[in-house]
Amino acid sequence: KRFKEPKAERRPWRIWFYDTSKQAIGALFIHFANVFLPDLTEEDPCSLYLINFILDATLGMLLIWLGVKVVSWTVQHKKYTYLVFGEYG
């Protein structure tokens, strides 16, 4: 995916790694939750996956959006220059 970005706008490797590692860690966490949750609850894995996906795509996105807004406002209000989203120094 990194090589699909225009060369002039391509992120450095370190920043690209930071961005993609967050997504990979989240995907691994959800994958293991989907694998082990059916054993703990004795429910159908497919229905639990669907519920998990729907909650993640709706409520999860709303919570993430709200969290980003709150943190962004706090960073701007308190002038924490090292905590700006997307800025890695």
Side-chain angles (χ1 to χ4, degrees), residues 11-68:
R11 298 169 285 177
W13 279 104
R14 183 173 60 111
I15 294 174
W16 177 84
F17 175 75
Y18 289 155
D19 290 341
T20 56
S21 64
K22 291 181 279 188
Q23 295 171 2
I25 290 168
L28 280 172
F29 179 77
I30 292 300
H31 172 71
F32 284 112
N34 286 330
V35 168
F36 293 113
L37 195 57
D39 290 339
L40 296 175
T41 60
E42 297 181 8
E43 294 289 328
D44 177 33
C46 294
S47 62
L48 286 177
Y49 176 79
L50 180 62
I51 292 168
N52 188 3
F53 178 77
I54 290 171
L55 285 175
D56 186 39
T58 56
L59 184 61
M61 289 303 296
L62 178 63
L63 289 175
I64 290 171
W65 176 81
L66 185 61
V68 167

